[in-house]
Amino acid sequence: MSEHDSHGIQEPNRNAAAIWGAGGRQYDLVSFAISDALAHTVQRLSPKPSDKVLDVATGTGWSARNAARFGAKVAAIDISADLIDAARRLSAGVEPTIDYHVADAENLPFPDESFDKVFSTFGVIFARDHRRAASELTRVCRKGGRLCMSTWSPTAPLPDSSL
Ligand SMILES: C[S@@+](CC[C@H](N)C(=O)[O-])C[C@H]1O[C@@H](n2cnc3c(N)ncnc32)[C@H](O)[C@@H]1O
């Protein structure tokens, strides 16, 4: 078996992809439960209509849609094909159109410095190899660009998503 599948997902990450994707579009309810923090992160990113923006580990695309509503040209990736499928369906009609891909944060399928702004809302923190993911986020962001992340601390309580 090769190290990567056709989406560049590393073999050791495929189990995580299946677990994250198990709820399909129902994951959007979790994003709704933390939507204030997601909106805050995108406001700090401050996307402009001329910006190319990447949302890493987008889930069902909640934050990608927030960024697109600023008029930015948004691409978004997630390790789960089921979540990307849900993101595409939930984003139907959003303009500008969001360019969704199944991809691994540790192995981003984009050239160096291809985005003005790169962000992740409670997403890339779940990558297996943090050093490698951080290196990928900085690689695809242009020099002088902006990188924003929202994270939970290891000791913080998880939000209540029993909506
Ligand atoms: C807590 S969810 C956050 C989803 C979304 N960003 C949000 O704010 O609602 C974590 C996401 O990280 C994704 N993920 C985990 N490891 C990943 C990796 N190595 N590459 C890309 N996505 C990954 C999961 O599939 C899941 O969608």
Side-chain angles (χ1 to χ4, degrees):
M1 190 183 287
S2 69
E3 187 194 358
H4 300 123
D5 73 8
S6 58
H7 298 296
I9 310 297
Q10 300 177 94
E11 198 280 330
N13 288 347
R14 288 184 211 157
N15 195 35
I19 292 167
W20 279 112
R25 71 180 284 161
Q26 292 301 312
Y27 186 82
D28 212 49
L29 294 173
V30 179
S31 299
F32 173 65
I34 55 173
S35 55
D36 53 350
L38 305 188
H40 179 73
T41 308
V42 173
Q43 282 158 9
R44 296 298 299 267
L45 189 74
S46 190
K48 304 284 184 284
S50 57
D51 282 340
K52 287 181 71 182
V53 171
L54 176 65
D55 178 13
V56 178
T58 191
T60 50
W62 190 287
S63 295
R65 289 188 289 282
N66 280 349
R69 287 180 177 117
F70 283 81
K73 181 67 191 141
V74 180
I77 70 102
D78 199 276
I79 200 171
S80 162
D82 289 335
L83 292 181
I84 287 294
D85 185 53
R88 286 192 179 116
R89 282 186 279 122
L90 288 163
S91 304
V94 173
E95 294 286 344
T97 307
I98 299 167
D99 190 17
Y100 286 108
H101 303 267
V102 179
D104 193 331
E106 299 174 31
N107 185 36
L108 291 173
F110 305 107
D112 295 355
E113 299 197 50
S114 43
F115 295 96
D116 301 295
K117 293 172 180 170
V118 176
F119 76 104
S120 184
T121 52
F122 304 104
V124 75
I125 53 173
F126 291 100
R128 190 172 45 93
D129 185 336
H130 289 154
R131 193 173 293 274
R132 187 164 166 166
S135 157
E136 281 293 88
L137 264 59
T138 54
R139 180 184 66 75
V140 301
C141 189
R142 71 166 168 81
K143 288 186 178 53
R146 182 172 295 189
L147 229 164
C148 286
M149 284 178 55
S150 47
T151 74
W152 286 298
S153 81
T155 52
L158 284 173
D160 179 4
S161 58
S162 57
L163 298 170

